[in-house]
Each structure stands twice: as C-alpha cells, then as structure tokens.
Amino acid sequence: MNSDEFDAVYVRELGIDDIAPVYHLGEKLFTSELYPYLYRTWDEWEVIGLYNTDPEYCLVAEIDEEVAGFILGTIITKASWTYGYILWLGVNPKFQRRGVADKLVDKVVARMIEDGARFMLVDTDPTNTPAVKFFNRKGFGNIRQHIFLSMNLSKHDYYGRLIDYEHQKAERAGYRRSRPAIRPRKPDGIGSEVVLNPLVNEPQTTDEQNPI
C-alpha cells in the first residue's frame, strides 16, 4: 500500500444525499447470513437516527467520487466519563486495502478527542475476525465477552395460542361473509321495475323538446 492510494481517499461528513448509498452498502455488509446474532439490526433508521443526532461523528470516505466506506459513531457521557462509541464501520469490498477504514477511524477518533472523549468503545461479532484484528491494530484492546441469549418465539406457548385465536377469528369472519344477505320484502301493491343497464339512463325526448 503506497502513499498515492492513501491520498486518493477523501473523508467528509455524511450528507443527506449519502443516506441511501450508505444504507444500501450496509445492507450488503451486515447480513443476517454472515452475522445471525448481531444484536443491533442494520436498517435505514440506524443511518437517519445518527445523522440527526450525531452528524459530526457520521463520516463517509470517497474514492473517485464514489462512496468507499462509512463510519457512524456517537458520544456517551456517564458521570465523569465521556465515551466515544463506534457503532458501525463499513468498507465497500471494491475499495478494500486502500486505507479507507484507517482514515475513517482516525478522523472520528480525533473528533471525539476534541469533544472531550477520553475512552473509546467499539464492538463487533466475535466471528468477525478481520474486524477484531483491525481494531487491535488501531489500538483497541481489553476484549470483554458479552453473552447475548436468544429465544425462538414461534415455539413459545403464547405464540401458539395467538395463532389459534387468529385462525378462529378468520374462520368466524369467513362464515359471516358467506351467509346470504336477507332481502327486504317489497311493499304490497308496488310492482318491480327491471333496469337493463342502470349506468345508462337517458331521458327520451319528443319532437317538441328537440332543439331547433
């Protein structure tokens, strides 16, 4: 990796026109197939929410005017500590090994230091070995394992009762729709009129009524 490749990376703040490209890039990177137990779900609100609350820590990297990567972070203040927290970091596979992630992290860390952060946090899926190695290289360490438990709600007792209730409700609704409508009796002495085409009802005109 030479200096020319690093110089080709331009880092700037996330703009409103970047929200869609960043979201779609994240869709390709943070998939349920790769990380089925990622406790934060990637969606458009991750980008929009952080863009609205922490725009100074939402950065994009460009190469040849194309979004090559992004970083989304926030500042957390608790008691006397101010934490910088990197929530999302993504690099387009097309631009890997071009120093994109390095420049994004360096820029957001510098901004957070300027804003009073004295401690940095980042997390990732433990199976994401390249990310763990990258953050170790950037100076992040002191790894702590978190335990996240999951439950398949489709096997929960209440889920089964809810499905049964919805089926019964649908059956009752179908029965009501299938019952024939009761036609009101016609008053005695009034004959019925047959309308062949109710959409066409033009009055007939006599010769006297025709315009001259």
Side-chain angles (χ1 to χ4, degrees):
M1 198 178 326
N2 56 51
S3 59
D4 293 337
E5 289 175 330
F6 271 93
D7 292 339
V9 182
Y10 171 60
V11 176
R12 59 174 174 78
E13 286 191 9
L14 178 79
I16 192 168
D17 292 333
D18 300 313
I19 291 177
V22 165
Y23 166 64
H24 291 304
L25 177 57
E27 272 190 316
K28 297 176 182 178
L29 298 175
F30 310 120
T31 65
S32 58
E33 289 78 13
L34 288 175
Y35 309 112
Y37 300 109
L38 190 68
Y39 67 94
R40 286 196 311 273
T41 303
W42 176 259
D43 57 35
E44 64 272 23
W45 299 111
E46 289 288 299
V47 188
I48 295 172
L50 289 167
Y51 170 74
N52 286 327
T53 60
D54 299 270
E56 61 271 42
Y57 312 123
C58 297
L59 310 176
V60 294
E62 281 187 344
I63 296 179
D64 298 329
E65 298 184 351
E66 184 177 351
V67 173
F70 63 88
I71 190 168
L72 307 178
T74 187
I75 287 280
I76 302 171
T77 300
K78 291 186 176 180
S80 59
W81 280 91
T82 299
Y83 300 82
Y85 188 11
I86 297 174
L87 288 92
W88 298 99
L89 173 64
V91 176
N92 189 331
K94 176 181 175 181
F95 298 110
Q96 286 182 347
R97 301 187 181 280
R98 299 281 296 272
V100 174
D102 282 277
K103 281 209 165 186
L104 287 168
V105 170
D106 290 345
K107 185 70 171 179
V108 81
V109 167
R111 286 196 170 190
M112 289 181 174
I113 290 174
E114 291 173 358
D115 291 343
R118 295 297 178 263
F119 196 82
M120 286 293 298
L121 296 172
V122 66
D123 56 11
T124 186
D125 192 288
T127 61
N128 191 352
T129 304
V132 174
K133 290 182 177 179
F134 168 78
F135 284 114
N136 283 159
R137 179 170 63 81
K138 298 301 291 183
F140 290 83
N142 193 25
I143 295 176
R144 291 291 183 269
Q145 295 288 341
H146 294 266
I147 297 177
F148 295 94
L149 306 178
S150 62
M151 177 173 61
N152 188 343
L153 293 179
S154 64
K155 297 181 179 180
H156 194 280
D157 291 341
Y158 180 75
Y159 181 88
R161 295 197 301 270
L162 181 62
I163 293 299
D164 289 342
Y165 170 77
E166 293 295 336
H167 285 167
Q168 294 172 9
K169 186 168 69 173
E171 290 175 358
R172 291 194 299 269
Y175 171 73
R176 285 196 297 269
R177 285 195 298 269
S178 64
R179 293 176 61 185
I182 300 175
R183 297 182 179 179
R185 291 184 58 190
K186 296 178 181 178
D188 295 338
I190 300 178
S192 62
E193 295 181 357
V194 177
V195 179
L196 297 179
N197 189 347
L199 298 181
V200 179
N201 187 15
E202 297 180 352
Q204 295 182 354
T205 58
T206 62
D207 294 338
E208 293 79 10
Q209 293 172 322
N210 286 333
I212 297 175

